[in-house]
Amino acid sequence: MVRVQHEIQGIGMSEIAARYGTPFYVYDGENIKRHYQRLRKCLPECLEIFYSLKANPNISICALLKSLGARAEVSSLAELMCALKAGTDPRNIIFLGPGKRMEELQACLEHRIYAVVAESLQELELLDKICAERKSGMRVAIRINPSFEVKGARLMMGGRPRQFGIDQDQLEQASAFLASLKNISIIGFHTYMGTRILDEEEVAHNTLNILTMAENLARLLKIELEMVDIGGGLGVPYYDGETSIDPVALGERIAPHIQAFHERHPETRIIMELGRYLVAESGLFVARVLYTKESCGEHFVITDGGTNCHMAAVGIGSFVKRNFPIRNLSNTAGNEKLTCNITGPLCTPSDLLAKAVTIPKAEPGDLIGIENSGAYGPSASPVFFLSHGYPAEVMVLNGEVHLIRERDTYSGILDRMRLIPL
Ligand SMILES: *Cc1c(COP(=O)(O)O)cnc(C)c1O
């Protein structure tokens, strides 16, 4: 796919910085469109794409993806309301997560979303009770923690002890319990194996396993399969040596499994949930260099936006610090290169956006850009550390710059606090 450049649709990053200040995230709306449409074309038609808002919960991102045909997978009340406000048809919303609160379950019922994905036997019982009290039905899917091991995921969500879903063998023993739930309709199964899968064959392998498991469980538990959610977890390359998923190859590998299942169950909705894959590569994080200095022989570039805005760049989950693609957006000529550590404003040595990267020499005032930053950005970062707050978020669409989230201000942050009389 086209990489995000220091100009997006002809708009320079310095222009956006001048208008909205730094640090900020900028999303290339046209790139999101191209990327989505390319994937859509490659996947079997009967496979529905649900956008996992968790990856980037901004309402304009959600609305853009919705306008392209994406449905929504949400995990909190705010995400649910965001998807609805973005115009998503409730029949195209599912709600999942291991710790749903009562008011969230009630909201699912109230807004008549397509399905709640239950993650424990207790949750099933609670849902049944809520429906009994309200004299209303509800479609419920069950998230399975499968007995088989997932292939290819960088972060495992199933196939081992996890707080997610119900163990496959526990569910297999639970047919009497399920039959006792008279007020909800169990409509199918969900499995999310893990994230950052970069191998098409492994996605296909997982898909086949999940579809087969769903069929077997439905038979065993006498459930009419109205939906199967095969998860997703498609990755994007962040580090050297990683390569993108090829949507054509992905489509070719999974189509036979999806089609065969679809022929056996023509009425069953088949859902794929994608977060990162839909947005990551269309986002750029931009921070301004405040100072440069040397310490014990190493060069440091200190910016106004560190891991408080972009925790993912730290590379959680790996023992060796690996760098996201990072560039000096102001000095693209790059005559003089320098190996440096790029840090932020936090008072901790772990505030390290990049370690020992070689980029064109940075000066105070330069803009530093981290690519592939459209997913798990500020919403997955400790934005309140040192009370800096949320950075600005901007989308470029059809050649125009739109502010899609205002930067937090100190007064906004202070307003949330209460000064008690002493
Ligand atoms: C986080 C999550 C997703 C989205 O994962 P990505 O790797 O961003 O695509 C989808 N489904 C579930 C259940 C999740 O927890």
Side-chain angles (χ1 to χ4, degrees), residues 52 54-55 73 96 143 157 190 192 194-196 232-234 273-277 376:
S52 303
K54 180 180 73 183
E73 178 254 297
L96 57 83
R143 179 170 181 176
M157 305 289 179
H190 167 283
Y192 176 74
T195 185
R196 298 198 52 227
L234 304 189
E273 302 163 357
L274 298 174
R276 190 188 311 273
Y277 188 79
Y376 303 103

Side-chain angles (χ1 to χ4, degrees), residues 72 92 102 118 254 271 370 406:
N92 289 326
M102 183 62 127
I254 68 169
I271 292 173
I370 304 184
E406 282 178 40

Side-chain angles (χ1 to χ4, degrees), residues 38-86:
R38 173 132 194 267
L39 177 71
R40 185 61 279 179
K41 242 183 28 213
C42 296
L43 294 180
E45 243 174 81
C46 61
L47 181 59
E48 298 182 54
I49 300 176
F50 277 57
Y51 173 51
S52 303
L53 267 73
K54 180 180 73 183
N56 187 325
N58 190 281
I59 191 166
S60 289
I61 299 270
C62 182
L64 178 62
L65 285 164
K66 186 254 154 193
S67 77
L68 301 171
R71 289 89 159 86
E73 178 254 297
V74 300
S75 297
S76 69
L77 182 58
E79 284 187 2
L80 170 61
M81 298 321 285
C82 177
L84 288 168
K85 200 171 167 195

Side-chain angles (χ1 to χ4, degrees), residues 200-211:
E200 300 88 4
E201 188 55 50
E202 283 162 1
V203 179
H205 178 84
N206 290 336
T207 300
L208 177 61
N209 273 342
I210 293 165
L211 292 173

Side-chain angles (χ1 to χ4, degrees), residues 129-205:
K129 193 164 144 254
I130 296 172
C131 288
E133 280 163 8
R134 291 199 162 209
K135 299 194 171 32
S136 148
M138 184 184 242
R139 279 179 301 267
V140 177
I142 298 177
R143 179 170 181 176
I144 313 288
N145 180 13
S147 317
F148 54 86
E149 275 262 338
V150 58
K151 290 191 74 179
R154 302 291 187 280
L155 187 63
M156 232 80 89
M157 305 289 179
R160 49 181 64 193
R162 281 291 184 258
Q163 69 269 50
F164 311 116
I166 299 172
D167 287 1
Q168 186 178 340
D169 54 351
Q170 276 181 38
L171 194 72
E172 284 164 356
Q173 309 300 318
S175 61
F177 168 74
L178 294 182
S180 75
L181 305 171
K182 301 286 185 218
N183 303 288
I184 56 176
S185 328
I186 297 181
I187 60 162
F189 302 104
H190 167 283
T191 297
Y192 176 74
M193 303 296 288
T195 185
R196 298 198 52 227
I197 305 173
L198 286 169
D199 183 312
E200 300 88 4
E201 188 55 50
E202 283 162 1
V203 179
H205 178 84

